[in-house]
Amino acid sequence: MGLFKKNRVNIVISNRALRYTYYKNAKNTSLTFGEEELPIGVMKDGRVESRVALVKIVKKLVKSHKWSGSNIYFCVPDDTVVIRQLQIPVTLTMNEAVSYVKTQLGTSIYLPFEDPSIAIEFLEEEDEKRNLLLFAYPKEKIIEFEGAFKEAGLKSKAVDLTSPSVYRYYYKNRQEKADGVLHIHWNLDALSLTTYRLDKAIFTRYMSNEVYEEKQELKEDEASQVIDDNIREITRIIDFYQYSITKGEERINLLLVTGDFPYLHSVFKILEETVNIPIYKFEEEIPIKFIDALGLALKNGVHKGETI
């Protein structure tokens, strides 16, 4: 596939699992991927609860796959990411914009947590102002992961979020452009919904299925209730995008569906019957739950103005 670089490991971590992709060597053209289930108590609410247990799991992978000293690109859980659209003076450079945003934190820009790690993306100019997107994430959570990976023998190179990783993979492989995209990342323990306009993430909503967080399996009757509840929320977000975000001028035209929900095949069928919006088909031979790890593999190093 030609996506990966030698000595690079890509890891996506959630409350329940750790998934990875990598190349064994520079000449190997076959994709190597895998998954490790995380025992209850290792992760909770996107935070490392047991560093000892996480390091033990990662060290086992490092030893078995000969990753020692490799660069690691990893995705943090999307549970606490904040996306805001802001305006800044149009004359500011990217670095100046980052500094400006940092000075406004706690005064004109309020976040639900302190000491954020931030990234920004420039949008269009409007009169003497420039619109931008601010992505913020608790820095302490990132530091926890970096410390665990370092202890296991890996070198953190860059950090990403799950939904942008999926969108990056879609963006690279799509045959035609669709404006107004909703990414539905449906895991067993959570549902994450992110809307994209002009290839930029502009809104995200994360919902934890707390009842099922500590279950290893989900019975079909239980899954049916979860599906019904989440489909209602998805249709609400589709309407919210059309009537609130874009003031009735645009609509969702494409759905991206990924995740590890065991009844995802039923989700596809119900979505097709309910919302009447095309669903993008990822043409891959590996399970769809690895799409985020494939998209993470396309991420380059951290750019100026980017700390997530």
Side-chain angles (χ1 to χ4, degrees):
M1 294 174 62
L3 296 179
F4 306 102
K5 295 180 179 179
K6 184 180 178 182
N7 297 327
R8 169 172 173 170
V9 179
N10 309 283
I11 288 180
V12 176
I13 192 164
S14 68
N15 290 324
R16 302 176 58 88
L18 182 155
R19 299 187 184 95
Y20 57 87
T21 56
Y22 75 104
Y23 258 166
K24 287 184 177 180
N25 55 61
K27 294 182 180 180
N28 193 345
T29 57
S30 63
L31 172 66
T32 303
F33 64 93
E35 176 182 31
E36 288 286 330
E37 288 191 7
L38 299 178
I40 294 172
V42 177
M43 293 283 301
K44 185 174 178 60
D45 298 329
R47 183 184 299 277
V48 179
E49 286 284 291
S50 174
R51 175 166 168 161
V52 172
L54 179 60
V55 169
K56 182 178 180 181
I57 292 169
V58 178
K59 274 188 174 180
K60 178 183 175 182
L61 291 171
V62 168
K63 182 177 180 180
S64 62
H65 297 298
K66 298 180 174 60
W67 289 347
S68 184
S70 294
N71 293 326
I72 177 174
Y73 288 59
F74 66 96
C75 276
V76 290
D78 288 0
D79 60 331
T80 47
V81 62
V82 173
I83 302 176
R84 297 273 174 80
Q85 185 164 326
L86 308 172
Q87 283 192 327
I88 61 171
V90 72
T91 57
L92 297 183
T93 65
M94 179 66 77
N95 284 341
E96 291 170 340
V98 172
S99 298
Y100 175 82
V101 169
K102 287 180 177 179
T103 64
Q104 299 302 305
L105 294 175
T107 55
S108 63
I109 303 173
Y110 296 95
L111 299 173
F113 45 80
E114 297 181 354
D115 194 20
S117 179
I118 69 170
I120 65 173
E121 288 188 13
F122 280 173
L123 300 177
E124 70 281 354
E125 296 180 11
E126 188 175 322
D127 297 327
E128 297 299 317
K129 299 290 185 178
R130 179 189 294 278
N131 294 319
L132 65 77
L133 288 172
L134 166 66
F135 298 84
Y137 197 87
K139 186 181 294 184
E140 60 177 333
K141 285 190 175 184
I142 295 175
I143 292 174
E144 289 171 356
F145 286 114
E146 289 177 333
F149 291 135
K150 181 178 180 180
E151 188 174 342
L154 298 170
K155 296 180 289 187
S156 297
K157 186 70 174 179
V159 186
D160 204 356
L161 299 166
T162 301
S163 186
S165 291
V166 170
Y167 196 87
R168 185 182 302 114
Y169 191 77
Y170 152 74
Y171 182 88
K172 177 179 174 58
N173 291 281
R174 66 186 181 186
Q175 298 300 312
E176 58 184 49
K177 182 177 181 179
D179 196 18
V181 178
L182 173 61
H183 174 217
I184 302 168
H185 193 63
W186 196 320
N187 283 338
L188 179 62
D189 64 324
L191 176 71
S192 178
L193 304 174
T194 307
T195 60
Y196 289 82
R197 181 172 179 265
L198 300 176
D199 296 323
K200 304 290 186 182
I202 60 173
F203 174 82
T204 188
R205 175 160 168 71
Y206 181 94
M207 291 159 291
S208 176
N209 294 330
E210 296 179 359
V211 177
Y212 306 101
E213 279 184 345
E214 297 188 354
K215 291 191 175 185
Q216 298 302 315
E217 295 182 1
L218 194 65
K219 295 180 181 179
E220 193 165 354
D221 59 333
E222 296 173 322
S224 179
Q225 183 60 52
V226 173
I227 291 172
D228 289 345
D229 291 344
N230 285 351
I231 291 293
R232 279 195 293 271
E233 183 61 23
I234 289 168
T235 57
R236 192 185 75 80
I237 294 300
I238 290 172
D239 290 340
F240 178 73
Y241 177 89
Q242 180 174 353
Y243 298 110
S244 295
I245 294 179
T246 66
K247 309 301 181 185
E249 296 179 359
E250 301 174 28
R251 63 189 299 273
I252 295 295
N253 294 304
L254 185 68
L255 304 179
L256 308 180
V257 182
T258 57
D260 63 17
F261 189 65
Y263 299 94
L264 212 55
H265 59 283
S266 297
V267 171
F268 276 90
K269 182 178 179 180
I270 295 173
L271 280 173
E272 289 172 346
E273 297 171 348
T274 304
V275 301
N276 195 31
I277 298 174
I279 301 174
Y280 182 80
K281 305 298 183 183
F282 288 100
E283 302 294 339
E284 291 300 330
E285 297 180 358
I286 70 173
I288 198 171
K289 62 184 177 181
F290 288 96
I291 294 295
D292 47 11
L294 291 175
L296 174 61
L298 297 173
K299 184 179 178 68
N300 296 319
V302 176
H303 302 288
K304 292 182 179 179
E306 180 183 2
T307 56
I308 289 182

